[in-house]
Amino acid sequence: MARQVVAAGRDTSFRELVSALLEHGLPAVPVLDPAGRPIGLVTAADVAAKREFHGGADRLPALGRPRRRSRWRKAGACTAAELMTAPAPTVDADAPLHVALRRLADAKSAQLCVVDRNARLVGLLSHHDALSAFLRSDADIQAEAEAVAPADIGVQVVEGIVTLTGTVGLRSVVEQAVQAAQRVRGVIAVRDELDFRFDDVTAHGM
């Protein structure tokens, strides 16, 4: 999550928004109310609508798609309030990362506004923020994977891929071990090379 946020107010001008997007390499700028609560996002696509429709000079066909009509309306915008996509997609600051990423994908947005208990902005989350986890060292991944694995299971990590080896008593233990390894931050894949002595999963299903 990025905590140093470039934000705008409802009256921030079009040119100021363009400068913020370009100078900081941002996909979007959050728009805040006077209390610091996010009320919308101005994306690069919102701003580009002015060029797409020549400031609204281009006529939109009556049967234009809803999203196209929305962009056409933004072509004449001069302030953040007129440009922003609202409401702003938000997620609580204490939400687990996987929940936040799922929310980000469902929102189909470039960023999520991370908010505190008072709904005030504390940061921004993008898919890019989650990528660094996949560069976590094999040693760190192995240490955490070993900590969550049963003592009789061997763990080896190469290029983020975890291989589990050994023999355990129950098939359910194998499944639990694989799931636990998959949840370790930075894991790319888990290779299950485990054996078991008794299939309690199938037995319980009979």
Side-chain angles (χ1 to χ4, degrees):
M1 177 181 75
R3 292 185 178 275
Q4 293 185 339
V5 177
V6 177
R10 293 179 61 88
D11 296 329
T12 299
S13 71
F14 183 92
R15 184 164 287 184
E16 288 176 302
L17 291 165
V18 172
S19 294
L21 289 167
L22 292 178
E23 290 177 13
H24 300 279
L26 302 173
V29 173
V31 183
L32 310 181
D33 68 10
R37 296 179 296 240
I39 56 176
L41 283 179
V42 174
T43 68
D46 293 331
V47 172
K50 191 172 289 291
R51 288 294 303 273
E52 180 183 359
F53 295 101
H54 298 93
D58 294 354
R59 298 181 66 181
L60 182 69
L63 299 179
R65 296 177 181 177
R67 292 185 65 182
R68 188 178 299 171
R69 295 181 71 86
S70 175
R71 296 198 308 275
W72 179 80
R73 285 192 294 270
K74 293 179 181 183
C78 294
T79 65
E82 296 167 333
L83 273 171
M84 69 182 183
T85 299
T90 62
V91 67
D92 292 338
D94 57 358
L97 180 59
H98 72 277
V99 171
L101 291 173
R102 201 166 294 160
R103 171 81 176 93
L104 180 61
D106 290 343
K108 298 180 181 179
S109 173
Q111 293 177 319
L112 271 187
C113 295
V114 184
V115 297
D116 62 17
R117 294 181 180 179
N118 297 311
R120 292 177 301 205
L121 185 72
V122 295
L124 292 173
L125 178 73
S126 68
H127 282 108
H128 187 272
D129 296 317
L131 297 182
S132 61
F134 295 114
L135 298 179
R136 192 180 185 195
S137 72
D138 287 347
D140 288 344
I141 294 174
Q142 179 150 343
E144 185 174 343
E146 288 175 341
V148 299
D152 48 357
I153 289 180
V155 178
Q156 183 179 16
V157 181
V158 178
E159 293 292 317
I161 299 175
V162 178
T163 301
L164 303 179
T165 58
T167 302
V168 297
L170 303 176
R171 180 179 176 179
S172 61
V173 173
V174 170
E175 295 185 354
Q176 292 166 7
V178 171
Q179 291 174 1
Q182 288 172 328
R183 293 180 180 277
V184 172
R185 185 171 62 88
V187 168
I188 295 171
V190 176
R191 292 175 178 167
D192 174 8
E193 297 183 4
L194 295 166
D195 291 322
F196 54 87
R197 299 186 185 92
F198 178 70
D199 187 354
D200 59 326
V201 174
T202 303
H204 289 165
M206 295 177 62

